[in-house]
Amino acid sequence: MSEQKTALVISAHAADFVWRCGGAIAKHQKLGYDVTVVCLSYGERGESARLWKEGKTLDEVKSIRKKEAEDAAKALDVHDIEFLDMGDYPLRFGQEAEEKVVDIIRKVQPNFMFSHSKWDPYNTDHMKTTEFALTCRMIAQAWGHNPGEKVLGAPQLYLFEPHQTEQMGWKPNVFLDITEVWDKKRAAMECMNGQVHLWDFYTRVAEQRANHFKRNSGGMAGGRDCKYAEGFESIFPTCVDELS
């Protein structure tokens, strides 16, 4: 039997993975991958305004956000979701958090990873999460870190689309057709009742990226049809035996 293929998402807040790579998660689960999602925080302070306006307490907000993320993960057929409850606005990183995530990376042994854009002046939790993810990836590759454990190979890190793309310096070089699993992504988005205003926004984003998919898969010469897509920026070079 071939070794199980896996993927890992490192999400700053409990909803980020839904909007930004929910289609990729559902599609790769359908392809036989085990996709693990790590939520560093619930997004309880900075991304739960509606709940605070309703008079909820901190513990209530965190509980609601956790349930929403679990429901969304179920809609996407996520293999495993883990919550590290590191707090948000701001997220603070340290050795303990690094060790937890490195342990997860080595356990999962992902074929590829997802995280945020490298720059986000509107939400520094996001860009700091990507720096953190890269640091943890590096540590997981080190033979001298917890010698005797299986070290990490060289999984690609895909940066998913930020909310205000034009301000983030994010440049997609990969487009993924998620048409066949769009219903799963939309269902997952509708689990996030704390951010209803984003449901239609990210539907429009998926439709726009579908146009880019069609153009770049053949354009006027006969590009593949696509109704919904997600865009990603890859960090590391791709090694190939033949160019196409």
Side-chain angles (χ1 to χ4, degrees):
M1 292 180 65
S2 61
E3 188 174 340
Q4 176 63 46
K5 292 183 178 181
T6 60
L8 177 65
V9 183
I10 300 179
S11 180
H13 313 104
D16 292 331
F17 74 93
V18 179
W19 317 118
R20 308 179 199 285
C21 65
I25 292 170
K27 183 159 190 176
H28 284 84
Q29 281 289 154
K30 187 172 182 178
L31 289 170
Y33 286 71
D34 283 344
V35 183
T36 297
V37 175
V38 176
C39 296
L40 302 186
S41 77
Y42 298 112
E44 64 270 19
R45 292 187 177 89
E47 300 192 350
S48 305
R50 184 179 66 81
L51 299 174
W52 288 109
K53 290 175 183 178
E54 292 174 357
K56 298 289 192 295
T57 66
L58 177 60
D59 285 344
E60 288 173 331
V61 172
K62 289 168 72 170
S63 178
I64 291 168
R65 293 285 288 185
K66 183 174 187 287
K67 179 65 164 56
E68 289 179 349
E70 288 173 336
D71 289 344
K74 188 178 297 184
L76 297 171
D77 299 320
V78 166
H79 171 70
D80 184 32
I81 184 167
E82 301 196 29
F83 301 93
L84 301 192
D85 194 13
M86 291 168 52
D88 68 321
Y89 281 61
L91 268 165
R92 299 190 187 280
F93 306 92
Q95 184 175 349
E96 182 180 355
E98 283 179 358
E99 290 179 354
K100 286 181 181 178
V101 173
V102 170
D103 286 346
I104 292 170
I105 292 173
R106 283 193 167 179
K107 178 181 71 174
V108 173
Q109 291 289 321
N111 293 84
F112 57 88
M113 301 168 60
F114 291 108
S115 201
H116 297 261
S117 58
K118 289 181 286 186
W119 171 245
D120 190 339
Y122 295 91
N123 192 324
T124 58
D125 281 359
H126 290 162
M127 65 185 191
K128 289 178 180 178
T129 292
T130 294
E131 182 179 359
F132 174 73
L134 285 166
T135 297
C136 292
R137 179 187 182 276
M138 176 190 73
I139 296 169
Q141 291 176 313
W143 283 80
H145 176 79
N146 292 341
E149 292 183 352
K150 183 179 180 180
V151 299
L152 181 69
Q156 181 62 263
L157 179 64
Y158 293 104
L159 308 184
F160 41 60
E161 184 159 3
H163 185 61
Q164 302 196 55
T165 307
E166 294 81 3
Q167 277 71 49
M168 308 309 191
W170 177 86
K171 186 176 180 180
N173 51 25
V174 176
F175 294 105
L176 178 69
D177 184 352
I178 61 167
T179 305
E180 65 177 330
V181 293
W182 172 252
D183 58 333
K184 291 180 178 292
K185 179 168 182 175
R186 180 69 195 202
M189 292 196 299
E190 292 182 6
C191 292
M192 311 310 296
N193 290 307
Q195 294 174 288
V196 173
H197 61 290
L198 294 181
W199 296 0
D200 290 340
F201 177 87
Y202 278 100
T203 297
R204 293 193 297 272
V205 169
E207 291 171 339
Q208 290 166 348
R209 295 307 174 200
N211 283 328
H212 294 161
F213 180 99
K214 287 188 286 187
R215 179 61 184 267
N216 287 281
S217 66
M220 300 300 287
R224 255 184 53 191
D225 190 29
C226 177
K227 293 183 178 179
Y228 301 98
E230 289 173 339
F232 303 98
E233 179 181 358
S234 57
I235 289 288
F236 300 102
T238 301
C239 298
V240 300
D241 294 313
E242 180 179 354
L243 297 176
S244 60

